[in-house]
Amino acid sequence: MKSFILIISARVIVPVMLIFSVFLLFRGHNLPGGGFIGGLTAGAAFVLHAFAFGMESTFKALRIRPVKIIAIGLLLSFLSGVIGLVTGEGLFKGYWLDWDVSFLPKLGSPFLFDVGVYVLVMGIVMVIIFPNIQEDS
Amino acid sequence: MLICILSVVIIAFLVPLLHRFLGNKTAFALAILPFTIFVWLLIQYLNNSASFPLKELYKWNPYFHLNLAFYLDGLSLLFSLLISGIGTLIYIYAGFYMKNAAYYSRFFMILTLFMASMLGLVLADNWLVIIVFWEMTSITSFLLIGYENEQEKARAAAWQGLLVTASGGLALLAGMVLMAIVTGEYSISGLAQYSGLLTEHNLYLPILLCVSFGAFTKSAQVPFHFWLPNAMAAPTPVSAYLHSATMVKAGIYFFARFSNSLGNTIEWQILLCTVGSLTMVTGAVMAFRSDNLKKLLAYSTISALGIMVVTFGIGTEAAIYAGIAYIIAHAFYKSSLFMLAGIIDKQTGTKLLSELPQLLYRKLPLAFVLVLTAAFSLGGIAPFFGFVGKEMLLEMTLGAPFYSMALTVVILLVGTIFVAILLILTHKAFFKKATDKKTDLQQVPKFFYLAPAVTALAGLFFGLFPDALSDLISQASISIDQELPPKHLALWHGWNLALLLSIFSIIAGVGLYYWNIKKSYELQSEFLKKFTPSAIYDKLFNGMLRLAEWQTRKIQTGYLRYYAMFTSLTILLLTGFTFLFKAGIRLNIATIDIYVFEVLLGIIVMMALGFTLITRSKIAALLSLSIVGIAISIIFLEAGAPDLAITFFLIDTLTITIFVLILHKLPKKIIAKSIFAKYRDAFISLGIGLLVTLILFSLTYHPLDSRLKAYYAENSYTLAKGKNIVNVILVDFRVLDTFGEIIVLAIAALGVFALVNFSKKKKKNRTL
């Protein structure tokens, strides 16, 4: 059962949601937002995509299995902690780049951690919700 | 010393690799390892014994008093010499015994690990480290006893050994903790100076009971002795090693170690002498009645362990010397006898005395001579080392400051039975006239006899020249009591009472053997069988399994509503109890400000909740419930927590999405509950709600300490270069917490993934 209204609106809403989720992620360092919220939004975007176009096409669009997305997110967060371990300053010591881009937050290991959280949460939303979507088409 | 133990552990893990290259020769290559340690220890003994104790200390975590401290004095030297020396022979013997075994490399790996943990146990000085090694011996011996894992008997025996010795380990841990509380001392070597403090302290009795409970289980004292005969399910090399030099001797080691800090009190003497005497008599009688060769030896070990416990219970000068001499004597003859029993088993195919072929001494002359040599030591016949040990034991009991008569009688009784056992091992086993079975003997290589021959002949050698061991025994005794004078052992003590009693026990033993030779050895009374410690253990074990099964059936019903109910009920009871009786309700109405806005939100929430409860449509209930979620996020927003509000809003949305998705798999109408269930659920829900409300009120009774808040507010931008404090706390200040949380999330998602894949296996492969 595919709803025409849903498909048309999803075409517009899904990209907007994804962009908005990245915006939330970037914004998080200085204003309300952050990796967790952004990740939830991005996950919700893919769930909407799956509602509208069916899961097969969502998987095609993703090109990567949600479980792997979780793993990648965890790895990114972990790597942000390892930097300090390598330099000997201790696990999760914060490091920043001296390089500011106006629309980006202050780049550094905490931001990398937040990106990891974003990716991980996005994957988790998909892993938990996708199995419950019934394919009746 | 750390290098010794570490190298053994590392080599243990290399065994599978070695096995690939060396095949059946692995065991002989591995024998080099304990032999090197043996030689190293000997060198330490010969060159450095004047500077004993040698100490080694590696700081691990000094804050918790956890240091890798090692300690080599006379006592630990003696035990580690036994472990490594007999260990070398066990490897050589096992090389023949385990030839072409199915799990060859696994066996030797675990055996090596076991040896490492035994060495660690006797060399460690810090008691936290000792506990670690203690548990390691329990676990590795569990694996060794259960080596033949396809046999149910072996598995049950392994369980029994593990449960008994591990429960003892727990008691020992408790005892050690109590000792640390009393003295503040974490090294065993330092405990002796607190002897007075310990024995006078109120906690002395609990400490003594805990420590001796641990040592009793390990050294198989009555009533915990039953695991040892059952542990015969292990391959013979393991039995020989466990009985002669390791595992059971660990308990004895503890009594020796603690006799200078906990010993010499009436409680200590009564406890050790009673349990030890009971054990030695029980063990001796059971050994005498056994038909299975290995069981007989196992029970005689129990008896010997009882003797050793009694010696440290008496604790006089003569007693300590006798105990240490007897440990050595026992190690020699018991390892040799076990190994020989294994060879006889291999050659004749039976362990049962009644099934051995007739006139075995003609067929296996070498085995006969060696059994004779070792058994004479067991029986305490001159000129074997066992005789020296037995003489010392009799001197000890005759000179004991208390119950001298009773102890002498017990020792004599056990000595008599040991002589009878000697005759069973030699005369009954090798000179049987007639048998109804014809057995063909398997050929074994001559070097199979090497290991038992060494220990048997060592018993003879040290019997003839006991003075060679004098210094070692004196060293060990001095580490128990520094004021002991050096002792000189001799075979011939002259005509004295001990010798006369010894001769008497030999004659009585021979008499006992001939009197009892035709009796059958079954335990007759069915009534008594029900009350053996072993039967009680079985009852407890099965009872626990039944209890677990019952409570799983009751609680794990498989219905989500019951899980939710039990979880809520548990929270209500445990948290409620702690809150009401430990913290107490603190309510300050004056500090609670209520705004009109909040009242309005509250009314909306109440209405939504009421509708959820009344409606019979699931989707309506769900949607009205989502109103509650949104109302809560508005409250967060109003309270100045936008991050929280957004998160809550998103989570609420996604939760509703999931619910909607699974809703159509459920029955359309809500099932009507019974009146009882309605009241029960209402009670639990209201209780939880009330509890959380009260806790919140009590928490906000005092203004929250805002130092942290101020710190974060001040340093968020300067230290972490972010203006959103919540986010900075999450990804920078408290990042380790967040990291732990996202790991939990990932694991939960993996759980969902596994669950879904499991239940949907029949469908086509999902690419989740």
Side-chain angles (χ1 to χ4, degrees):
Chain A
M1 176 196 70
K2 286 195 176 173
S3 151
F4 188 66
I5 301 173
L6 192 61
I7 291 176
I8 295 294
S9 50
R11 269 188 199 151
V12 182
I13 293 173
V14 169
V16 170
M17 272 175 90
L18 284 175
I19 292 169
F20 184 63
S21 73
V22 177
F23 165 72
L24 282 172
L25 167 70
F26 283 177
R27 195 176 117 99
H29 214 54
N30 292 324
L31 291 160
F36 193 80
I37 295 171
L40 284 177
T41 315
F46 283 109
V47 170
L48 180 63
H49 188 278
F51 276 163
F53 306 104
M55 273 211 289
E56 292 303 316
S57 58
T58 312
F59 284 131
K60 220 175 273 173
L62 274 173
R63 295 203 194 123
I64 180 169
R65 290 163 57 200
V67 174
K68 279 193 184 162
I69 296 181
I70 296 180
I72 292 169
L74 203 56
L75 187 69
L76 285 176
S77 296
F78 180 64
L79 284 180
S80 79
V82 169
I83 299 172
L85 210 59
V86 172
T87 58
E89 291 259 19
L91 198 64
F92 286 114
K93 163 87 183 160
Y95 286 98
W96 287 272
L97 297 175
D98 284 333
W99 180 57
D100 284 317
V101 185
S102 59
F103 61 90
L104 284 178
K106 187 80 182 162
L107 294 175
S109 64
F111 180 65
L112 181 62
F113 182 84
D114 220 13
V115 171
V117 173
Y118 172 89
V119 175
L120 174 123
V121 170
M122 181 171 78
I124 284 172
V125 170
M126 285 190 266
V127 165
I128 292 179
I129 293 188
F130 279 1
N132 296 306
I133 301 176
Q134 280 219 327
E135 307 263 271
D136 359 73
S137 55
Chain B
M1 283 172 264
L2 178 69
I3 296 168
C4 274
I5 298 161
L6 257 180
S7 61
V8 179
V9 172
I10 291 166
I11 288 176
F13 287 105
L14 293 178
V15 167
L17 199 69
L18 279 173
H19 183 230
R20 190 165 295 170
F21 294 114
L22 295 173
N24 277 326
K25 293 194 182 71
T26 316
F28 308 121
L30 281 173
I32 298 170
L33 175 69
F35 188 67
T36 318
I37 295 173
F38 183 75
V39 171
W40 180 80
L41 286 164
L42 268 186
I43 292 170
Q44 296 299 319
Y45 167 58
L46 294 174
N47 290 348
N48 291 341
S49 65
S51 59
F52 271 2
L54 301 177
K55 285 188 179 187
E56 250 177 58
L57 184 88
Y58 303 92
K59 288 213 163 101
W60 184 0
N61 194 337
Y63 181 78
F64 293 113
H65 308 281
L66 181 55
N67 294 317
L68 285 172
F70 296 97
Y71 187 73
L72 187 70
D73 63 353
L75 194 63
S76 46
L77 175 83
L78 173 74
F79 276 91
S80 41
L81 275 176
L82 284 178
I83 292 165
S84 56
I86 301 225
T88 312
L89 298 171
I90 293 289
Y91 275 98
I92 295 171
Y93 175 76
F96 294 106
Y97 192 89
M98 302 302 290
K99 198 172 173 187
N100 298 327
Y103 304 114
Y104 187 93
S105 57
R106 184 197 293 175
F107 174 82
F108 281 102
M109 185 170 129
I110 301 170
L111 186 66
T112 314
L113 276 177
F114 175 70
M115 187 171 72
S117 33
M118 267 321 290
L119 278 173
L121 183 64
V122 296
L123 288 174
D125 190 20
N126 183 296
W127 65 258
L128 292 164
V129 180
I130 286 187
I131 294 280
V132 172
F133 283 120
W134 173 286
E135 298 296 336
M136 269 174 68
T137 60
S138 290
I139 291 168
T140 44
S141 63
F142 164 77
L143 293 169
L144 286 173
I145 296 169
Y147 168 76
E148 283 169 20
N149 52 19
E150 57 283 339
Q151 285 183 18
E152 183 162 5
K153 223 178 111 199
R155 294 201 303 270
W159 264 118
Q160 207 173 45
L162 180 69
L163 287 177
V164 173
T165 54
S167 62
L170 279 180
L172 184 72
L173 178 64
M176 298 282 209
V177 170
L178 287 177
M179 269 200 271
I181 289 172
V182 173
T183 62
E185 177 67 51
Y186 281 74
S187 71
I188 299 294
S189 55
L191 272 178
Q193 55 178 314
Y194 295 104
S195 170
L197 177 69
L198 275 170
T199 48
E200 298 289 313
H201 203 274
N202 282 341
L203 286 173
Y204 174 67
L205 200 61
I207 292 174
L208 177 65
L209 287 177
C210 284
V211 171
S212 16
F213 180 77
F216 282 155
T217 56
K218 204 78 164 179
S219 57
Q221 299 295 301
V222 169
F224 313 109
H225 62 284
F226 54 89
W227 71 267
L228 193 58
N230 291 341
M232 291 296 95
T236 306
V238 175
S239 312
Y241 201 28
L242 285 186
H243 283 250
S244 61
T246 59
M247 194 71 177
V248 292
K249 291 284 171 71
I252 305 298
Y253 171 76
F254 268 74
F255 284 127
R257 245 315 163 229
F258 287 121
S259 55
N260 60 3
S261 45
L262 297 174
N264 281 326
T265 61
I266 296 179
E267 294 94 332
W268 167 278
Q269 287 163 343
I270 290 178
L271 184 69
L272 266 67
C273 289
T274 317
V275 173
S277 304
L278 272 175
T279 308
M280 62 170 127
V281 176
T282 314
V285 172
M286 295 296 283
F288 186 55
R289 303 174 77 114
S290 298
D291 188 39
N292 184 322
L293 213 50
K294 277 181 88 177
K295 268 221 159 112
L296 182 150
L297 292 173
Y299 278 117
S300 76
T301 302
I302 293 176
S303 184
L305 292 166
I307 295 175
M308 294 170 205
V309 169
V310 167
T311 61
F312 292 109
I314 294 174
T316 57
E317 181 189 328
I320 290 172
Y321 285 128
I324 288 170
Y326 202 72
I327 289 171
I328 301 175
H330 178 254
F332 285 148
Y333 74 71
K334 193 49 62 69
S335 59
S336 157
L337 282 175
F338 258 114
M339 291 194 264
L340 290 165
I343 295 177
I344 293 171
D345 179 21
K346 280 259 165 176
Q347 291 199 294
T348 62
T350 180
K351 287 175 207 149
L352 299 180
L353 282 167
S354 48
E355 284 180 9
L356 284 175
Q358 58 177 340
L359 297 176
L360 197 59
Y361 76 99
R362 284 187 193 155
K363 290 166 189 153
L364 303 173
L366 188 53
F368 173 63
V369 172
L370 290 176
V371 167
L372 203 65
T373 317
F376 268 24
S377 199
L378 175 142
I381 312 255
F384 296 89
F385 193 60
F387 172 76
V388 180
K390 192 165 144 193
E391 289 289 283
M392 291 171 84
L393 286 175
L394 284 169
E395 272 174 32
M396 157 193 92
T397 54
L398 289 172
F402 51 93
Y403 302 128
S404 169
M405 241 345 244
L407 286 169
T408 312
V409 169
V410 172
I411 290 276
L412 266 187
L413 177 67
V414 172
T416 307
I417 301 177
F418 271 25
V419 173
I421 291 171
L422 146 75
L423 288 169
I424 291 177
L425 286 173
T426 50
H427 184 261
K428 192 176 176 194
F430 285 91
F431 288 89
K432 198 157 32 164
K433 296 254 162 54
T435 182
D436 29 316
K437 268 176 91 178
K438 278 263 169 204
T439 32
D440 294 325
L441 291 184
Q442 299 284 322
Q443 285 303 312
V444 293
K446 275 276 173 291
F447 281 106
F448 210 161
Y449 284 103
L450 177 69
V454 170
T455 44
L457 293 177
L460 176 62
F461 174 81
F462 290 118
L464 290 171
F465 310 103
D467 208 30
L469 284 174
S470 293
D471 188 47
L472 186 62
I473 292 177
S474 303
Q475 284 279 355
S477 311
I478 287 168
S479 53
I480 294 172
D481 185 351
Q482 284 184 342
E483 277 143 34
L484 288 182
K487 169 101 178 168
H488 283 281
L489 279 71
L491 185 64
W492 181 247
H493 286 238
W495 291 96
N496 56 13
L497 189 56
L499 184 66
L500 290 177
L501 288 172
S502 198
I503 292 170
F504 166 75
S505 77
I506 292 171
I507 296 166
V510 176
L512 179 69
Y513 174 70
Y514 279 103
W515 173 70
N516 207 24
I517 196 164
K518 294 206 174 71
K519 295 269 168 72
S520 68
Y521 303 128
E522 278 301 300
L523 192 59
Q524 270 107 8
S525 164
E526 282 296 315
F527 177 76
L528 266 178
K529 263 187 189 172
K530 275 186 194 156
F531 291 98
T532 57
S534 180
I536 292 170
Y537 165 85
D538 286 340
K539 273 213 185 86
L540 280 176
F541 188 75
N542 292 330
M544 199 153 73
L545 286 184
R546 268 203 299 278
L547 178 73
E549 210 179 311
W550 172 82
Q551 68 112 20
T552 310
R553 224 176 24 242
K554 283 283 165 198
I555 296 176
Q556 315 271 336
T557 51
Y559 288 104
L560 188 60
R561 49 182 175 276
Y562 289 118
Y563 285 110
M565 188 181 87
F566 279 118
T567 312
S568 315
L569 203 61
T570 313
I571 293 172
L572 186 61
L573 291 178
L574 294 184
T575 317
F577 180 82
T578 319
F579 175 63
L580 287 180
F581 295 100
K582 302 266 155 134
I585 302 169
R586 281 178 298 185
L587 196 59
N588 190 357
I589 309 281
T591 56
I592 303 167
D593 308 318
I594 299 173
Y595 300 103
V596 181
F597 163 75
E598 287 168 343
V599 175
L600 282 177
L601 263 183
I603 291 170
I604 293 171
V605 167
M606 291 301 234
M607 279 165 63
L609 278 179
F611 184 70
T612 312
L613 286 175
I614 291 165
T615 182
R616 308 217 64 152
S617 152
K618 282 194 164 162
I619 196 112
L622 200 58
L623 290 176
S624 64
L625 206 57
S626 75
I627 295 175
V628 180
I630 292 168
I632 293 174
S633 15
I634 292 174
I635 291 177
F636 282 145
L637 203 57
E638 187 253 344
D643 282 282
L644 210 52
I646 301 172
T647 312
F648 200 89
F649 186 78
L650 280 167
I651 290 286
D652 197 55
T653 314
L654 287 170
T655 314
I656 297 291
T657 316
I658 297 175
F659 268 130
V660 171
L661 284 172
I662 57 173
L663 208 57
H664 67 95
K665 292 178 188 162
L666 303 174
K668 284 247 157 46
K669 285 273 169 65
I670 292 170
I671 310 155
K673 284 186 194 166
S674 71
I675 295 289
F676 167 72
K678 268 185 183 164
Y679 278 108
R680 180 195 61 200
D681 293 354
F683 172 75
I684 296 174
S685 321
L686 286 175
I688 291 268
L690 188 68
L691 180 68
V692 173
T693 313
L694 286 177
I695 289 177
L696 277 178
F697 275 135
S698 305
L699 276 180
T700 49
Y701 181 75
H702 293 295
L704 288 174
D705 185 7
S706 57
R707 261 183 308 166
L708 263 183
K709 238 196 294 185
Y711 173 82
Y712 286 140
E714 273 169 33
N715 295 304
S716 162
Y717 193 67
T718 48
L719 286 185
K721 306 186 199 315
K723 286 177 194 148
N724 179 359
I725 299 176
V726 177
N727 191 263
V728 166
I729 291 174
L730 281 177
V731 301
D732 204 334
F733 285 134
R734 307 303 303 265
V735 62
L736 208 56
D737 296 356
T738 316
F739 189 59
E741 283 153 19
I742 63 174
I743 289 175
V744 170
L745 268 182
I747 291 170
L750 280 181
V752 172
F753 176 69
L755 210 63
V756 169
N757 268 17
F758 181 71
S759 60
K760 291 199 173 164
K761 228 170 205 169
K762 45 191 184 278
K763 283 197 178 177
K764 66 173 191 250
N765 235 352
R766 300 228 161 194
T767 46
L768 202 63

